[in-house]
Each structure stands twice: as C-alpha cells, then as structure tokens.
Amino acid sequence: MQTTTSSPADYDLDGRWRPDDDSGPVCGYTFREKTCPKSGAHYCEPRADRVVTFFARMLVHVKGPLKRTPFLLLDWQEFEIIRPLFGEVEWSSEWGTYARRYRIAYIIVARKNGKSEIAAAIQLYMLVGDDEESAEIYCAAKDTKQAGKVFEPALRMVQLSPKLSKRLQHIKNARRLIDEKSGSHYEILTADAEGELGHNPHAFNLDEVLSQPNGDMWEAMTTAAGARLQELNFATTTETNDPSSFGADLIDEAEKTQEDPARAPHVFAFVRKLPNSQDELDRLHATFPGHPHLPVNLDPFDERNWKWPNPALDQFKSRAAMHRQKLDAQNDPAKENSFRQFQTNQRVQQKFRWMPMHLYGASGGDSNDIWLRPDYHRERLLGKPAWGGFDLAATSDLTAWCTLIPEDGWIHALWRFWLPEAALRELDKKNDDKFSRWVKQGWIVATPGTVLDYEQVYGDIAEEARDFDLLAVDADKWSSAPVIQRIEQDTGMWEIEAYANDFSSMSLGMKELMALVTTSRLLHHGNPVAEFCFDSVEARKAPYNPDLLRPDKPDRGKTGKRIDGVAAAIMACNAKLREPLDDAPPATERKIVISSRGRSA
C-alpha cells in the first residue's frame, strides 16, 4: 500500500493551463526558506508546500487502513488536487496582492476514495491555516446526518491533533468548531437555502451533490462570495443517476471545465468517472494524453478501467472488495447500476430492469408446483396465516391483490386480478390478446362496463379473509379512504397500512421480495399474469441513497405493460415484515403444493 507522495517531477504543475496574465510584481511568497521568484499568473510552490505540510503535521487519517497515521497526501491527492488548488495564484489589483486563482472546486470520484476526509482536511486548513480573520467555514448536505459525515472526520482530526485540540473548541449540540484566536468557526448547515443567505463564507463544502433536491443551497453560498480575499466553495460528490437534476448539471459543468479550463479560469475540476460513450472516452484521452490510469473502454466490469474513477484503488480502496461487488452486480440487475454509479462513477439511468426472470422462473418450483388453471386445489392451504397486499389502479385498469402464505419455510404467492371489460381491447392490442386469454382462463376477473365493479373486488377479498388467517394487510394510499374502509370491514383488518409507493415505503418490501426469489422460496406457481407484471417492472433508485428503491410504473397510455401484481406483492412483503410469523420453521425441502385463488370453474 502506498502511503508516501510521488516526486514533483512526475507532474508538470508549471505546465498546467492558466490565464495569460503577467501583471503583478515578483511573488516573493516564502515558506520554510523557499521563496517564489515568479510573477503574473503562476503556480506558487511555497504556498502549496504550506498546505501539504499543514496536512502532514497537523492532521491524521481517522479511518481505514491509514487511521491514526499522519495525513501524508497520496500522489493523486497532492499533485492533482491540493497543490494546483492552493498553489495557482494571480495578481489581484483590487487587493494589491497575489491571491489564489480558484474560488470554486469540484472533486468528483467514485465512492470510498476519501472525499469526506480530504474535504474535512481542506475545511480545517481554511479554518486555522489560511490566515483569515473571522473565517466562516460551512459544510452542507441533504441533511445534518449526511453533513455529519464530513464534520465528524474533521472533529476526529481535531481530537487526535495535540495542537488543534488545544486551539479549537467543540460546541457539541451545534456541531460547531470555534477558533477563538482568529474569531473563526466551522459548522454544519442544512439544505434549507432560504435560511442561509446571511453568511459570508471563507470556505463552503457541499457534500454529495447528487442528494440535493435543487441548487438553492449552492447558489445561496456561491453568490455570497466576494467579500474575502480568497474564499473557496467546493463540491464533493459521486455521479448521479438523474440526468435532469442539479447534480447532473454541476457534474456536466465540471467535466466541461476540466476539458477546457479557459471557460472558467476560477474553477478547479478533478473529475474521475468512467465515460458513457466512445466520444466521451476519446475526449478523455485527448484531455489527459499519456495518463497511466485512463480507461481503455466503456465496460464497468473491465478491471483495467477501475483505477481512473477510483484513484485510491490499491491504496486505501480494496480491489478485492470491488471484485466481490462486481460479481454481485453481474448476478443481480438491481446491483449493476449501483456498481456502475458508485464504483465506476459512471452515469446511469434511474430506472433499471429489476427482476432477473431466470431466477423468478426457477423460484416457481418444479412441474408439480405449476398451476394448470387458476382453480387448482386450494384446500391444502385453507386456514393458514397469511399477509395481504392491495394495489388499486385507476377504475379503468388492472387492480391486484396478493396473498402470501408461509409453509415449511416457503412462501406461496396467490394473486387476484381485476379489470373492466372495456380495458381489454387496448391491452390486447399491445399484448397479443394475452389479457382476453387470461380472462377466459380465470386468471383475471373482468367486470362488465367501462369502470371496475368494486363490489366484485370486495367480495373476492372477503373470500381471502375467510380462507386465510390474515395477520396484516398493506395497501396503496392512492386507494380512496372509502375503499380501504370497506376492505377493513370485510376482512376484519381494522388497521390496514396505507402509504404512497415511494422510496421509503417500498424499499424494504422490494428487498424482501427479491430475497424470496433469489433463494427460491417464493412459490408463484406459474401465475401468467404475475409473471407478465414481473417481466414488465422496472425499478428506480433514490438519487440521494442507493439503498432505497421503488417500482417505476410504466406510462399506461403509451405501453401495454402493467406491474400491479408486483406492487401488491411488495406491499404484502411489507405486511409480512411488519407482522412476522413467530417461530417460522426454516425451509427444508420443496413441497409439492396444489393451491389456487378461487373455486370457480
């Protein structure tokens, strides 16, 4: 593992692009007997030395394999970020002195490459090492929990530093560090931009930009600049999966500036991400000719491409861990996009195909578990405990109920589907007459007319309540209150959980449902309508948290796809998690189960 810096000779810091500006006298900045002899816009080595020395002598790493060791910058951190960021200066006729050129900085790398630590170190330097009186240092994120991921490393660095721990006072409840010597402070801000317009920041860090709902906070703080000699606003983030978001716009601007620094001479950009197209790859090679870590193609699973978006790979980011995540991503489509976005920093779409249908098919059991018709014998499961999920569609579309029934470690999934007869023609047109066939076979109940007959729905759900011991039922909040109240009355479930199908409410149920499928414990018995729904469903990850997801409903007006059976199953899984069956036996062997949802011929 590399823990020392490279030689400055390996990096042409003097050869970097800078404005053609020779105004100003000889710099003359001195640090440790080294004096800068240059003038005009230039790279001032002593200034950069001062920051690097501050990191090494005043700070320590607080996590990972380097924890509690001096913060000796790695080669890419020192020569590609810190030295150019703090060493590039230009003459300020307004202030009558040389000042740092960069006032805005973007640091965009894959996860686990030390963004939070280096951001914390920069903030501490700006607080006590930049000779700024009454410096205001801020860190903001989506919420205080996220911002704390930067503040807490900074606090720990202070606690482990003999000099800083004596100099800085920690106000715990306010998450604030105070430097009484210079009258400066460092504190956390929430993402409420309206309340943050009165600040005069010397440094501001917006962490994980992809989680920001908009650019209000960034705009509020960057427009507050101008009253200090050399303020610094910087954003640290991983790539977003929402191309229309503020985060995407910021990252796009950073990439453009990295390719053409003349477009914004005051902006520093360190962007390391895997390209999405051959054109992007070609531009990258043209921008960084000869760089040893450039990706060779667009494949996120090609190990040769990993070092570019992960400059800390083989230093404090584990290659073995990336291999494990790669294997998981190759086996689970839901994880592939996360691998692309968070491990290779490649922009992906929010939506992705969720269910691996080969695993779904295998989970259905052998030929003895497949129902030949929907009225296959159901008697074997009668009276067993169960959980229900209800997804009410528009009155002119598909509505679904799912009952989950545990038995010997397996989970039987029984669906009921309803739609009005008038909807059949349009659905058949887009799906090769499948819906009419399913109605004739009994998999779907079609009610007369142009709107759904709710009395049919109520009667069928009441049958489920009579046949099974319903422990809990979850429903889509979109269902009107009278519908839910009627179902509560007919089922005896007086506290049905109703909620919107959003990230926070659907994520756990989706993970539980996926776990049942991937472990072959979900016995869906070959229900063709349910299979159609699972084959149609796409998922969407929360742009602010890769661990949260929800089903993405297709455009009903443009496509024949329907996913209502999946939504009902997810909500039934939520009900299962909310009211678990005590002392459920583990799965032992697959049972031959003959069961169905109804008795009609």
Side-chain angles (χ1 to χ4, degrees):
M1 178 175 296
Q2 179 182 354
T3 58
T4 59
T5 58
S6 298
S7 167
D10 298 332
Y11 297 86
D12 185 12
L13 293 169
D14 284 317
R16 291 176 62 94
W17 182 92
R18 60 184 54 88
D20 185 13
D21 180 4
D22 58 4
S23 60
V26 170
C27 177
Y29 187 90
T30 300
F31 179 73
R32 290 191 169 182
E33 300 182 354
K34 182 187 294 183
T35 300
C36 180
K38 303 171 187 174
S39 61
H42 65 278
Y43 166 66
C44 179
E45 187 174 345
R47 295 175 197 262
D49 288 347
R50 187 172 190 263
V51 183
V52 172
T53 302
F54 177 88
F55 279 37
R57 292 180 62 86
M58 302 291 286
L59 307 176
V60 297
H61 292 284
V62 296
K63 57 185 176 181
L66 302 178
K67 62 184 178 183
R68 291 181 177 267
T69 64
F71 205 122
L72 300 176
L73 290 163
L74 299 170
D75 52 358
W76 60 276
Q77 293 174 320
E78 178 175 351
F79 297 105
E80 297 189 67
I81 298 178
I82 297 302
R83 283 190 172 274
L85 179 58
F86 287 92
E88 287 287 329
V89 298
E90 58 187 3
W91 178 254
S92 171
S93 58
E94 181 180 12
W95 293 87
T97 186
Y98 280 99
R100 285 193 298 268
R101 184 178 113 213
Y102 294 121
R103 306 307 175 94
I104 292 176
Y106 304 119
I107 301 174
I108 302 165
V109 293
R111 281 196 165 176
K112 304 302 180 183
N113 280 277
K115 291 191 302 295
S116 295
E117 263 202 328
I118 202 166
I122 290 173
Q123 295 286 66
L124 289 176
Y125 174 80
M126 297 294 286
L127 178 65
V128 301
D130 210 33
D131 296 333
E132 182 75 13
E133 290 293 320
S134 302
E136 298 178 25
I137 314 296
Y138 301 105
C139 172
K142 181 178 73 72
D143 50 36
T144 54
K145 181 180 179 181
Q146 178 65 38
K149 292 182 178 180
V150 173
F151 180 80
E152 288 162 12
L155 174 60
R156 189 60 178 155
M157 288 178 186
V158 170
Q159 293 170 337
L160 295 176
S161 170
K163 292 184 178 180
L164 291 183
S165 61
K166 292 179 181 178
R167 177 167 173 172
L168 299 179
Q169 179 185 1
H170 175 215
I171 309 299
K172 186 175 181 179
N173 292 337
R175 278 189 172 176
R176 174 183 289 196
L177 293 171
I178 296 177
D179 179 20
E180 294 184 351
K181 182 178 180 180
S182 65
S184 303
H185 68 268
Y186 169 30
E187 66 177 282
I188 296 278
L189 297 179
T190 66
D192 179 7
E194 292 182 359
E196 309 302 342
L197 296 178
H199 297 301
N200 179 21
H202 179 54
F204 169 67
N205 171 223
L206 186 62
D207 186 49
E208 290 298 2
V209 175
L210 77 165
S211 67
Q212 291 293 310
N214 52 55
D216 291 350
M217 172 64 82
W218 182 251
E219 182 179 3
M221 299 305 283
T222 54
T223 55
R228 296 186 183 271
L229 172 63
Q230 45 186 10
E231 75 282 343
L232 177 64
N233 294 289
F234 65 105
T236 49
T237 190
T238 301
E239 180 60 276
T240 179
N241 62 1
D242 184 354
S244 61
S245 66
F246 158 68
D249 290 341
L250 183 144
I251 294 170
D252 289 346
E253 181 61 29
E255 284 192 280
K256 292 175 183 177
T257 303
Q258 182 170 259
E259 288 182 13
D260 179 17
R263 65 181 282 117
H266 65 291
V267 175
F268 172 83
F270 181 82
V271 184
R272 297 293 184 266
K273 48 180 285 193
L274 187 63
N276 263 323
S277 67
Q278 186 62 44
D279 177 63
E280 289 181 9
L281 181 62
D282 292 342
R283 295 204 311 268
L284 196 59
H285 279 260
T287 304
F288 296 94
H291 196 292
H293 302 145
L294 287 170
V296 298
N297 54 47
L298 307 176
D299 183 3
F301 299 129
D302 189 332
E303 191 172 346
R304 296 173 296 174
N305 298 328
W306 290 355
K307 184 67 172 176
W308 180 254
N310 294 282
L313 191 65
D314 301 321
Q315 294 174 327
F316 54 79
K317 180 164 183 173
S318 168
R319 186 178 293 269
M322 281 200 70
H323 274 290
R324 292 192 293 270
Q325 292 161 346
K326 166 188 170 180
L327 291 177
D328 288 344
Q330 288 176 320
N331 290 323
D332 185 347
K335 295 180 179 179
E336 179 179 341
N337 274 7
S338 288
F339 184 84
R340 288 175 177 268
Q341 180 182 359
F342 298 111
Q343 300 304 323
T344 69
N345 215 23
Q346 186 180 55
R347 183 170 299 176
V348 297
Q349 296 299 316
Q350 287 179 293
K351 296 191 300 182
F352 60 94
R353 184 183 176 97
W354 181 57
M355 179 58 63
M357 292 308 292
H358 67 289
L359 296 179
Y360 179 83
S363 183
D366 56 30
S367 59
N368 293 312
D369 293 320
I370 302 301
W371 300 346
L372 302 179
R373 60 184 188 275
D375 58 351
Y376 237 55
H377 309 288
R378 161 184 182 116
E379 290 80 2
R380 191 165 183 276
L381 298 178
L382 296 181
K384 289 185 176 295
W387 303 276
F390 180 58
D391 184 58
L392 178 67
T395 57
S396 59
D397 217 323
L398 190 67
T399 288
W401 170 282
C402 179
T403 302
L404 298 181
I405 308 160
E407 185 187 45
D408 296 334
W410 313 108
I411 300 292
H412 302 274
L414 281 63
W415 280 273
R416 291 179 181 265
F417 294 97
W418 307 267
L419 55 70
E421 285 182 342
L424 284 174
R425 181 176 179 181
E426 191 64 26
L427 285 169
D428 279 345
K429 186 188 303 182
K430 296 175 180 177
N431 293 286
D432 299 323
D433 297 325
K434 289 180 180 178
F435 278 78
S436 285
R437 290 200 302 273
W438 291 333
V439 169
K440 291 177 182 178
Q441 294 166 355
W443 300 107
I444 300 175
V445 172
T447 64
T450 59
V451 297
L452 185 63
D453 180 0
Y454 284 108
E455 291 302 321
Q456 176 73 51
V457 175
Y458 298 145
D460 291 343
I461 292 178
E463 183 180 4
E464 293 290 294
R466 291 193 299 270
D467 286 351
F468 304 106
D469 177 17
L470 290 176
L471 302 177
V473 175
D474 282 23
D476 185 355
K477 188 177 182 180
W478 191 86
S479 308
S480 64
V483 172
I484 294 177
Q485 291 169 3
R486 175 66 182 272
I487 294 174
E488 289 177 333
Q489 175 183 325
D490 291 351
T491 61
M493 299 298 299
W494 290 105
E495 293 184 354
I496 290 178
E497 287 285 324
Y499 42 79
N501 290 346
D502 56 21
F503 292 112
S504 60
S505 62
M506 300 298 277
S507 187
L508 286 177
M510 290 183 74
K511 292 177 181 178
E512 174 70 9
L513 182 55
M514 179 63 77
L516 292 175
V517 170
T518 56
T519 57
S520 296
R521 292 190 294 126
L522 184 77
L523 297 180
H524 52 71
H525 304 299
N527 185 310
V529 187
E531 182 178 6
F532 173 83
C533 292
F534 276 97
D535 193 40
S536 299
V537 72
E538 291 183 317
R540 184 180 292 265
K541 284 186 177 289
Y544 53 87
N545 187 340
D547 293 328
L548 297 181
L549 61 159
R550 64 171 174 81
D552 194 74
K553 290 192 175 183
D555 188 334
R556 296 176 184 270
K558 297 180 180 179
T559 176
K561 295 180 178 181
R562 295 296 184 271
I563 66 168
D564 306 83
V566 179
I570 292 169
M571 288 183 282
C573 282
N574 275 338
K576 173 179 176 292
L577 294 171
R578 183 163 52 84
E579 295 289 341
L581 183 63
D582 293 334
D583 300 322
T588 53
E589 59 180 353
R590 184 177 297 284
K591 302 290 185 181
I592 298 175
V593 179
I594 310 171
S595 56
S596 180
R597 64 157 186 82
R599 299 189 178 89
S600 59

